[in-house]
Structure formats: structure tokens, C-alpha cells
């Protein structure tokens, strides 16, 4: 099948952090998917990316659903809820209920939908006993929604490449590295039945284990550079995406 328009909805995962272009803006898996789909569809292909870092599920729905439906795309990717799962009062069952209604609305337009089970970050983030069960419930619900509405499901949680290899993650341990984004793009394109560069699926060699003392030093640096600013924003009611706008707010050609 050839899709002539694609809209990407979501948060930092879909915005493309941390996979920079030479000018410092972010590319990410969705841009890679769009570029490959454009080759199949030709010059009339249109791509929009509404994703903004830091957005919670309700904000994604409030800000991105109406514009997406108005563009009437052939294909929509939806990935949100991960930021919610990190919040202390997150209710995964409520998130699933909201998500179900959104996917139903998008599918009712005739668009194909791509959904994601979140990758496992529990091996390199603190607090996994708190947010791990929430992510498990959310991932289970995403699978049920995809099955119920006939959406394409990309199961990153079951992909050991993301669980055991730090090379797939950026230095903040929560966003993907360029290699991680390429692998997600390859998974999406394979699910859609589109040819893909097999190198995108290659898993970079994992680095040698870090000695215990050096690893604890790295943990402390990470906490100061990434965890502490995140906590500060939570306490101040701010988000990393407060001053960020969608990088591709309307359908346009892919160069």
C-alpha cells in the first residue's frame, strides 16, 4: 500500500530527541519513516509532525487530535502516555480509556494507525518499582487497543536491543540515540511492509561493563545533569516543551 500523507502525533519520542540534524534540530524515527514513505509515494507525499517534548497524554490529545483529523492523513502514528507514567499520581487505566477513544476517532476517518508499546527503561533509570507496573498496564492496554481497532503495533518492550544496550539510548537515559531512532524507524517500516535499509536494524556492540566505582560516578553526573533539572521542572509546574512548537505543523513535502 502507498500512503500519500502521514501525521506523527506524540511527545519527545516522536519529535526525535536526541537524534540531531547538523543544525541542531531533531530528526528521529518519524522523519526517517516519512522520508522512506515519500520515496514510495512520490512528490505529492505530505508529512506533518505535531509531537512536542514533555507533553502528557491529555495535552497531546487537546493540541494535536483536531489538527490531525482536519488534515485527513492516510497514516497516523500515535505515541504518548510515557510522560504520564513517570508522574506520581498516574492512573494507567484512565490513560488507556482516553487512548482508546482517540484511536477509534482516527480509525473512523479511514486512516491507518501505528501504535507503540514502550521500550523497557527500567534497567537504567531509578524508581522502576514505582513506574514499572504502570508502564506494564499501559503497554498491555495499548496492545488491546491496537488489536480492537486494527492498528499496527510496534512492540518495543519486547525488543531486547532497547533493554540491554546503552548505545541505543542518549546520555539522559530516557530518549533514544540516533541508533535507537533508526531501529524504531526500521521496525515501523517493516510492519508497514515497506523496504528498509537493513543497517538500521543492526544493533551496535554494547560497551564493556563499567567498573562499579566509575559506574557510580556516572550515575551521580547523570543525576546532576538530567534528573535534578527534571525534578525541578516538576516542582515548578514547568515542562521541557513549554516554549517549543511543532516542527512540522502542516502537511508538506519531504526533502
Amino acid at each position: 500500500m502507498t500512503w500519500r500523507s502521514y501525521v506523527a502525533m506524540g511527545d519527545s519520542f516522536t519529535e526525535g530527541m536526541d537524534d540531531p540534524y547538523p543544525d541542531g534540530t531533531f530528526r528521529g524515527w518519524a522523519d526517517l519513516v516519512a522520508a522512506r514513505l515519500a520515496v514510495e509515494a512520490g512528490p505529492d507525499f505530505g508529512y506533518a509532525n505535531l509531537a512536542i517534548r514533555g507533553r502528557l497524554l491529555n495535552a497531546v490529545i487537546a493540541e494535536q487530535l483536531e489538527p490531525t483529523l482536519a488534515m485527513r492523513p492516510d497514516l497516523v502514528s500515535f505515541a504518548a502516555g510515557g510522560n504520564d507514567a513517570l508522574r506520581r499520581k498516574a492512573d494507567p487505566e484512565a490513560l488507556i480509556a482516553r487512548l482508546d477513544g482517540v484511536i477509534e476517532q482516527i480509525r473512523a476517518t479511514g486512516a491507518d494507525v501505528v501504535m507503540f508499546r514502550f521500550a523497557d527503561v527500567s534497567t537504567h533509570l531509578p524508581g522502576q518499582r514505582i513506574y514499572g507496573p504502570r508502564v506494564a498496564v499501559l503497554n498491555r492496554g495499548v496492545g488491546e487497543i491496537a488489536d480492537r481497532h486494527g492498528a499496527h503495533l510496534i512492540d518495543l518492550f519486547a525488543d531486547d536491543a532497547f533493554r540491554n544496550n546503552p548505545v541505543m539510548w542518549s546520555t539522559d537515559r530516557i530518549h533514544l540515540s540516533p541508533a535507537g531512532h533508526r531501529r524504531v524507524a526500521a521496525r515501523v517500516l517493516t510492519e508497514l511492509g515497506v523496504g528498509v535499509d537493513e543497517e538500521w536494524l543492526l544493533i551496535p556492540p554494547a560497551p564493556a561493563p563499567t567498573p562499579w566505582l566509575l559506574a557510580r560516578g556516572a550515575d551521580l553526573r547523570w543525576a546532576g545533569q538530567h534528573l535534578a533539572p527534571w525534578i525541578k521542572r516538576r516542582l515548578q509546574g514547568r515542562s521541557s516543551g513549554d516554549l517549543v512548537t511543532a516542527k512540522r505543523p502542516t502537511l508538506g513535502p519531504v526533502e
Side-chain angles (χ1 to χ4, degrees), residues 65-84:
L65 180 57
E66 185 175 341
T68 296
L69 296 177
M71 286 185 269
R72 300 195 64 83
D74 298 328
L75 178 67
V76 176
S77 63
F78 192 102
N83 289 323
D84 297 79

Side-chain angles (χ1 to χ4, degrees), residues 17 53-54 83 87 172 174-175 225-242:
M17 295 176 71
R53 68 196 73 170
N83 289 323
R87 300 305 197 271
D172 70 4
I174 195 167
H175 295 110
Q225 295 171 5
H226 301 288
L227 179 60
W230 184 86
I231 293 174
K232 183 178 179 180
R233 288 196 300 271
R234 298 289 77 73
L235 294 175
Q236 295 175 339
R238 296 187 297 111
S239 166
S240 58
D242 283 345

Side-chain angles (χ1 to χ4, degrees), residues 31-56:
D31 282 19
L32 294 170
V33 167
R36 185 66 185 88
L37 294 179
V39 172
E40 296 290 315
D44 293 333
F45 180 80
Y47 166 50
N49 189 319
L50 308 182
I52 297 177
R53 68 196 73 170
R55 290 298 192 261
L56 301 175

Side-chain angles (χ1 to χ4, degrees), residues 84-104:
D84 297 79
L86 296 176
R87 300 305 197 271
R88 183 169 57 88
K89 296 182 179 180
D91 181 352
E93 295 292 352
L95 296 176
I96 292 168
R98 292 238 45 205
L99 181 58
D100 184 68
V102 170
I103 301 305
E104 182 178 23

